[in-house]
């Protein structure tokens, strides 16, 4: 019999219960027992929901209090020495210290580095492999969850990051050994883990090895063979799980590894199916990811069945059906979304609906298409209604896109000439200080926004409240003596949602939350049609903020690639076409800000690296259109207008040439968690423009010390000329409280002052 399963489910809860419990625990309002009870209740609820959808087993271990990679680091004893003695049993305090830093020891207890999970907007905690590391198994948490699921009468399928992917994700610290040197010891720990899971009655373990969709050297390919050969006995059945891309030259390797099944992502790479069926040994299961775990549109179930019918006839009960990847990347349930146009809403499928689609496909293959004829026709009708929506195609937008030329993507002169004009206009000191854009979203701000949305506060009252918060933010920044100010973004819920709400072509959910990291959740907009800007979006707020001070105030925009990446994007045209539409809308906003007298305009592109394809051979095509879209948005200004951009939590080495091609006058980047390691890319490349390396980690509650920030900037000055360095946090301050922000920025300004004094002397 054909089986249905799932690779992972969203953790946060339909009402974001996990988020609220985490933040209450961090504030000391609830004990750990209450937090763990909330977690247990969410797991049980999600397992029951998945079982009721017809899944033959449920994923266990996909749930995490913060991050699944961090969970594995504690399970394997990979705890940096700054958080405790080697070999100690990791505690919940250790867990959150690694994730958020140690407030009591901000100088040494900094949090683990955080970066993007492949090409998604989910952030994971990077494992740190220190000298003399000894892996130790601490599997009690995973075994407890297995027991919880079994006690509910469910077949538990533990989800484990594979040993090769876990090593790939980590970084070797302060030693010269290669990561693969650590593999033999790590494999021994995996063997012990699998043995314990077998003893616990587990039949199948899902072993995630998504790096098989990347470019791998011969050494890493050989490491797969040796590692899985060592894991071939004394274990449950293993489902080797890949996703996010095409295995290409690694497909034959994956088919022949000594495991019991293979999962392939057919949404990203449908061309894998036929060769996999040829190469997979006849005793192995083939799991097919046929429902898109990365986007929110209904699948073409009739078309999928045309593909799956012959596969089912050939494989029989060796065929498993699943989403393409974990459903962590989509919201939980769209049944409560009543404010979206019904023609668009009918075409949506969140996690619950995707599981229903998997179950429906299973039924159709097992019982015949006629058994689900009504559901298939309903799905076809919903897709047709969405594609017939009048906002989908706008002739004016398409004509404008057709008229884009190369001149629109070029500044008037090069950076060297612009730099002189901008310095004369701005009159900034050496090591100018600024922030990334947002300031704390206080309870008062959230209350005003909530009251306005509920009709309890008129528009005029809401706008007046926002102006008061902007004025307060400007006053605080002046008191801190920051050199370049921001208006604080009090009026913005989210850096993408805010712009989508004012652009044509977008719709919005009310409960479509997705985890970004830890307790941080975002509510991505949905792009369903052609994008256009009906009116100015930020100009009046920027103009008001600038009227309050003689210091320059940055205009703050989110870039076209980031708006694209952090939205759920229409699937009926190339992503590059949609991005160019967004770029043209932003170009108009940039021009209006410049006409309003705004001297510095920041166009954030934190998702530029995230959008990079997994295979290097696919990079040039993506980078061409991504860079072009940024330049279309930014290049229409005079030389005297300074363009900034911001990027965070990414490995920049891969795309440093493309970053230079953006031709932003100033780029601010995240470097605090990596101890300025990311600057190596900019120094080795001889990056020509100005850089603001983030000197403190805003995701940690710890107040950074002046000396540490000064030291980081001195380290930066060894790679980048001092006259091209800015001093700033590593990201926006929206999620922090003023009681943390002001002392941190005061210390940051003091660090900049010391740097100037030294430079002058």
């Amino acid at each position: 019999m054909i089986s249905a399963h799932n690779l992972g489910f969203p953790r946060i809860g339909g009402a974001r219960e996990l988020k609220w419990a985490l933040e209450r625990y961090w504030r000391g309002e609830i004990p750990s027992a209450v937090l763990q009870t909330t977690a247990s209740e969410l797991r049980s609820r999600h397992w029951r929901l998945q079982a009721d959808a017809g899944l033959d087993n449920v994923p266990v271990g996909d749930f995490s209090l913060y991050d699944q990679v961090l969970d594995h680091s504690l399970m394997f004893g990979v705890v940096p020495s700054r958080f405790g003695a080697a070999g100690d049993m990791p505690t919940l305090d250790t867990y959150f210290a690694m994730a958020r830093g140690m407030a009591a020891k901000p100088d040494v207890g900094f949090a683990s580095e955080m970066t993007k999970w492949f090409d998604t907007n989910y952030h994971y905690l990077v494992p740190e492999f220190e000298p003399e590391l000894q892996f130790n198994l601490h599997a009690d948490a995973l075994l407890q969850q297995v027991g919880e699921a079994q006690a509910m009468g469910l077949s538990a399928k533990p989800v484990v990051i594979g040993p090769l992917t876990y090593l790939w994700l980590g970084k070797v610290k302060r030693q010269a050994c290669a990561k693969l040197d650590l593999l033999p010891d790590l494999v021994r720990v995996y063997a012990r883990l699998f043995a314990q899971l077998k003893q616990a009655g587990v039949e199948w373990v899902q072993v995630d090895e998504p790096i098989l969709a990347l470019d791998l050297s011969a050494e890493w390919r050989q490491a797969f063979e040796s590692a899985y050969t060592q894991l071939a006995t004394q274990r449950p059945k293993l489902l080797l799980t890949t996703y996010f891309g095409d295995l290409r030259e690694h497909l034959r390797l994956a088919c022949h590894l000594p495991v019991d099944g293979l999962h392939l992502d057919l949404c990203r790479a449908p061309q894998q199916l036929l060769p996999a069926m040829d190469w997979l040994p006849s005793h192995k299961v083939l799991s097919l990811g046929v429902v898109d775990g990365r986007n929110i549109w209904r699948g073409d179930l009739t078309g999928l069945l045309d593909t799956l019918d012959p596969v089912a006839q050939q494989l029989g009960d060796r065929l498993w059906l699943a989403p393409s990847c974990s459903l962590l990347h989509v919201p939980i349930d769209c049944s409560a979304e009543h404010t979206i146009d019904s023609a668009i809403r009918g075409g949506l499928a969140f996690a619950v609906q995707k599981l229903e689609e998997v179950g429906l496909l299973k039924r159709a293959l097992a019982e015949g298409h006629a058994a689900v004829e009504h559901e298939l026709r309903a799905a076809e009708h919903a897709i047709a209604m969405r594609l017939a929506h009048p906002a989908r195609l706008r002739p004016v937008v398409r004509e404008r896109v057709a008229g884009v030329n190369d001149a629109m993507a070029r500044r008037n002169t090069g950076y060297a000439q612009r730099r002189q004009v901008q310095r004369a206009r701005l009159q900034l000191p050496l090591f100018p200080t600024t922030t990334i854009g947002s300031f704390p979203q206080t309870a008062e701000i959230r209350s005003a926004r909530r009251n306005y949305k509920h009709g309890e506060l008129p528009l005029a009252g809401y706008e007046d409240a926002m102006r008061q918060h902007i004025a307060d933010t400007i006053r605080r920044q002046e008191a801190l003596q920051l050199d370049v100010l921001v208006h604080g973004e009090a009026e913005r819920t989210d850096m993408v949602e805010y712009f989508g709400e004012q652009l044509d072509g977008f719709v919005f959910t009310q409960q479509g939350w997705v985890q970004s990291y830890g307790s941080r959740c975002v509510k991505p907009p949905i792009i369903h049609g052609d994008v256009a800007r009906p009116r100015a979006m930020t100009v009046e707020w920027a103009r008001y903020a600038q009227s309050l001070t003689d210091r320059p105030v940055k205009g703050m925009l989110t870039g076209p690639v980031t708006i694209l990446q952090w939205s759920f994007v229409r699937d009926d045209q190339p992503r590059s076409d949609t991005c160019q539409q967004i770029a043209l809308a932003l170009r108009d906003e940039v021009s209006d800000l410049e006409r309003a007298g705004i001297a510095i305009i920041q166009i954030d592109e934190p998702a530029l690296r995230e959008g990079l394809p997994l295979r290097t051979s696919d990079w040039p095509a993506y980078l061409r259109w991504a860079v072009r879209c940024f330049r279309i948005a930014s290049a229409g200004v005079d030389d005297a207008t300074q363009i900034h951009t911001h990027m965070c939590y990414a490995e920049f080495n891969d795309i440093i040439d493309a970053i230079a091609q953006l031709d932003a006058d100033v780029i601010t980047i995240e470097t605090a968690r990596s101890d300025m390691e990311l600057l190596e890319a900019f120094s080795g490349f001889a990056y020509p423009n100005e850089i603001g390396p983030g000197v403190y980690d805003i995701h940690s509650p710890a107040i950074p010390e002046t000396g540490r920030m000064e030291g980081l900037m001195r380290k930066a000055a060894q790679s980048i000329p001092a006259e091209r360095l800015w001093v700033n946090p590593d990201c926006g301050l929206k999620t922090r409280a003023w009681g943390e922000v002001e002392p941190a920025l005061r210390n940051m300004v003091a660090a900049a002052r010391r740097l100037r004094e030294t430079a002058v002397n």
Side-chain angles (χ1 to χ4, degrees), residues 222-285:
Q222 292 165 6
F224 267 95
E225 294 178 348
S226 64
Y228 280 90
T229 298
Q230 293 176 63
L231 294 170
T233 60
Q234 301 299 314
R235 58 162 175 77
K237 296 176 183 177
L238 300 185
L239 179 70
L240 185 75
T241 306
T242 67
Y243 38 81
F244 298 157
D246 186 353
L247 271 59
R248 300 186 191 178
E249 73 275 18
H250 310 321
L251 180 57
R252 190 185 292 269
L253 167 67
C255 287
H256 291 287
L257 287 174
V259 295
D260 305 279
L262 174 65
H263 173 85
L264 298 175
D265 181 344
L266 292 198
C267 295
R268 284 285 184 94
Q271 66 275 16
Q272 300 181 103
L273 176 58
L274 293 181
M277 292 180 65
D278 287 341
W279 295 336
L280 194 72
S282 60
H283 64 280
K284 292 187 179 182
V285 161

Side-chain angles (χ1 to χ4, degrees), residues 10-33:
R11 309 157 181 159
I12 57 176
R16 291 182 289 165
E17 294 94 327
L18 182 60
K19 169 188 174 66
W20 307 124
L22 280 170
E23 293 178 356
R24 290 183 65 199
Y25 174 73
W26 294 335
R27 292 193 298 266
E29 297 173 1
I30 59 173
S32 61

Side-chain angles (χ1 to χ4, degrees), residues 478-510:
E478 286 191 319
L480 290 165
Q481 298 185 34
L482 288 164
D483 299 305
V484 173
L485 314 187
V486 296
H487 80 291
E489 304 179 13
E491 80 287 1
R492 305 184 189 184
T493 53
D494 175 84
M495 65 183 292
V496 171
E497 183 181 49
Y498 174 78
F499 290 96
E501 287 174 339
Q502 301 179 78
L503 293 168
D504 293 333
F506 287 75
V507 294
F508 301 87
T509 65
Q510 292 185 304

Side-chain angles (χ1 to χ4, degrees), residues 65-76:
L65 288 176
Y66 201 97
D67 164 52
Q68 73 270 16
V69 181
L70 178 61
D71 293 350
H72 281 67
S73 291
L74 267 74
M75 183 163 62
F76 300 144

Side-chain angles (χ1 to χ4, degrees), residues 66-129:
Y66 201 97
D67 164 52
Q68 73 270 16
V69 181
L70 178 61
D71 293 350
H72 281 67
S73 291
L74 267 74
M75 183 163 62
F76 300 144
V78 184
V79 178
S81 55
R82 64 184 179 276
F83 299 113
D88 286 354
M89 177 68 74
T91 66
L92 193 62
D93 288 342
T94 303
Y95 181 83
F96 288 129
M98 290 174 65
R100 307 175 71 236
M102 301 169 68
K105 301 178 181 179
D107 195 33
V108 296
F110 51 91
S112 295
E113 185 178 347
M114 187 163 63
T115 195
K116 297 292 180 69
W117 175 254
F118 296 86
D119 60 349
T120 77
N121 187 34
Y122 177 79
H123 303 65
Y124 73 91
L125 276 298
V126 178
E128 298 180 38
F129 305 132

Side-chain angles (χ1 to χ4, degrees), residues 48 93 99 120 138 154 161 201 208 231 257 284 297 326 343 346 372 429 497 547 582 594 624 691:
R48 179 56 60 195
D93 288 342
T120 77
H138 307 286
L154 303 175
I161 297 173
D208 288 4
L231 294 170
L257 287 174
K284 292 187 179 182
W297 304 113
S326 170
V372 294
E497 183 181 49
S547 73
I582 301 169
E594 183 179 52
R624 274 194 298 273
I691 301 178

